[in-house]
Amino acid sequence: MLGSILYALIHIACIAIPIAAALLLEDAKKILAAKEAKLGKTTKSSNEAPASAPASPRKVAAPGPDLSALEAELKKEIEEVEKLKASLKAKKADAETKLAELTAKEAEVGSKVADVESKEKALESREAELDSKEAELKELGSKLDERDAALAASGIDESTAPVSDDEAKPEEAEEEAEDDAAAEEEAERAKRKKMIDEELDLILKKALEELEDEDEFEPEAVEALKLAAAKITYLKKYYDVMRDEVIYFPSVAKCIINYTLMEEAEPHYFDEDDEFPADYSGALREVATGIIGEEDDDAPDEDYMAALAMDVAI
């Protein structure tokens, strides 16, 4: 809703500013035309003045107009006209620049509004899914209540009542469910470790190429980075309904960009007083910046994902 209002305001501004600029240009043109008309009259007067002087040799001619004053006034008028033309041109250019800026902002706002609407639809889809599951749970609860009521009405002791095959071994079913959950967590841990190792190894390999005087990273630095990555990267997962995929975050590259990986690695690098090498940090950030720049711009924002994300098994 807010995005739509902002988009409408930007659109109105894009219409209003060109109109205001057109009115301003029209006023400036009128002033320029008036100046040119006045300049034309002054020029005509200066050209006709000598012809109107009496030609009779027997009469003393009246003093003619002061040509130097007319020339000075004419020059001043010309300068004013040129200034107006320059001012008009500058205002026109400024109006065109502002119009271009507003057009760009309108496009940017339109893109953001579309993104917000897309996320709102995804959220609505997720809410509908949760509502559906909640309805299923309520229905199951109602069935259990009806069963308990029927048992109470018949006077049958629930502990001795016959049970279905699904209810025959609840403890075994519970243990099986726990085993499945443990297996899923173990698989997720293995997947997370593989993601961290592969991304960190790739970044280290490319970063070494940035270090001209180094043949390899210090083993202590590599070990410190691995310990830090295992502690702070890929801690959350978010299901993107638009792409039908699970996104794990934050990545190793993101943690390098915001310095959290090096800060976390520093306590593990030799003694606590030893700082993580600055040249290592610079090379790592150079590579990470390139990786982030190649990522899909349409990917969901991490702040948005964090609100709906789940913890990853570590």
Side-chain angles (χ1 to χ4, degrees), residues 3-45:
S4 300
I5 294 173
L6 181 59
Y7 179 79
L9 290 174
I10 293 295
H11 187 70
I12 291 171
C14 287
I15 296 173
I17 285 186
I19 294 174
L23 293 174
L24 183 63
L25 292 176
E26 187 65 26
D27 290 341
K29 287 179 179 179
K30 290 180 179 179
I31 294 172
L32 181 60
K35 290 287 184 180
E36 288 177 343
K38 183 177 179 181
L39 179 61
K41 290 180 180 179
T42 304
T43 305
K44 183 178 180 182
S45 174

Side-chain angles (χ1 to χ4, degrees), residues 223-261:
E223 183 63 22
L225 289 171
K226 288 184 177 180
L227 291 172
K231 189 174 180 180
I232 66 172
T233 64
Y234 294 119
L235 298 176
K236 297 287 184 179
K237 60 182 177 181
Y238 165 78
Y239 175 65
D240 187 351
V241 295
M242 305 298 292
R243 304 185 180 194
D244 191 25
E245 66 176 347
V246 177
I247 301 175
Y248 292 83
F249 68 98
S251 65
V252 176
K254 283 285 180 68
C255 290
I256 290 175
I257 290 293
N258 60 24
Y259 290 101
T260 54
L261 186 68

Side-chain angles (χ1 to χ4, degrees), residues 14-295:
C14 287
I15 296 173
I17 285 186
I19 294 174
L23 293 174
L24 183 63
L25 292 176
E26 187 65 26
D27 290 341
K29 287 179 179 179
K30 290 180 179 179
I31 294 172
L32 181 60
K35 290 287 184 180
E36 288 177 343
K38 183 177 179 181
L39 179 61
K41 290 180 180 179
T42 304
T43 305
K44 183 178 180 182
S45 174
S46 63
N47 291 334
E48 293 177 352
S52 62
S56 175
R58 290 176 290 178
K59 295 182 180 180
V60 179
D66 189 348
L67 293 180
S68 61
L70 287 174
E71 288 177 358
E73 184 179 356
L74 181 61
K75 184 177 180 181
K76 184 178 179 181
E77 293 289 345
I78 291 173
E79 289 176 353
E80 288 183 4
V81 169
E82 293 299 327
K83 286 180 180 180
L84 281 173
K85 287 182 178 180
S87 176
L88 181 62
K89 186 177 180 181
K91 288 178 180 179
K92 182 178 179 182
D94 184 55
E96 291 175 350
T97 301
K98 289 182 178 179
L99 179 60
E101 291 176 355
L102 283 172
T103 303
K105 287 184 180 295
E106 182 183 16
E108 182 182 354
V109 171
S111 175
K112 289 183 177 180
V113 169
D115 183 50
V116 169
E117 290 176 349
S118 174
K119 290 178 179 179
E120 286 178 350
K121 289 181 181 178
L123 186 58
E124 289 173 359
S125 176
R126 185 68 178 270
E127 289 176 350
E129 183 182 349
L130 292 175
D131 290 341
S132 176
K133 290 186 180 294
E134 183 179 0
E136 291 177 3
L137 290 174
K138 286 182 179 179
E139 184 179 357
L140 181 59
S142 298
K143 289 182 179 179
L144 290 175
D145 291 341
E146 291 175 1
R147 178 179 176 277
D148 292 341
L151 288 173
S154 62
I156 299 176
D157 186 358
E158 187 174 357
S159 62
T160 61
V163 295
S164 63
D165 293 339
D166 294 335
E167 298 172 337
K169 298 178 181 179
E171 293 183 359
E172 292 182 5
E174 185 177 348
E175 290 177 359
E176 184 178 349
E178 290 177 355
D179 291 341
D180 290 343
E184 289 180 2
E185 287 186 0
E186 188 61 33
E188 191 169 63
R189 288 190 189 95
K191 181 178 180 179
R192 176 177 179 265
K193 185 178 184 303
K194 182 180 179 182
M195 291 167 62
I196 292 173
D197 290 342
E198 288 180 351
E199 185 178 5
L200 184 58
D201 288 344
L202 176 63
I203 291 175
L204 287 171
K205 181 179 179 181
K206 291 185 176 181
L208 189 60
E209 297 174 359
E210 300 289 332
L211 299 171
E212 298 178 355
D213 299 332
E214 298 285 346
D215 294 329
E216 63 179 10
F217 281 98
E218 294 176 345
E220 293 81 3
V222 174
E223 183 63 22
L225 289 171
K226 288 184 177 180
L227 291 172
K231 189 174 180 180
I232 66 172
T233 64
Y234 294 119
L235 298 176
K236 297 287 184 179
K237 60 182 177 181
Y238 165 78
Y239 175 65
D240 187 351
V241 295
M242 305 298 292
R243 304 185 180 194
D244 191 25
E245 66 176 347
V246 177
I247 301 175
Y248 292 83
F249 68 98
S251 65
V252 176
K254 283 285 180 68
C255 290
I256 290 175
I257 290 293
N258 60 24
Y259 290 101
T260 54
L261 186 68
M262 284 77 81
E263 289 175 357
E264 185 64 35
E266 195 164 278
H268 305 289
Y269 179 70
F270 289 107
D271 297 329
E272 292 184 359
D273 296 335
D274 292 318
E275 295 183 357
F276 195 80
D279 54 342
Y280 285 6
S281 297
L284 291 170
R285 292 193 79 248
E286 185 72 23
V287 175
T289 300
I291 292 175
I292 298 299
E294 295 174 358
E295 290 184 352

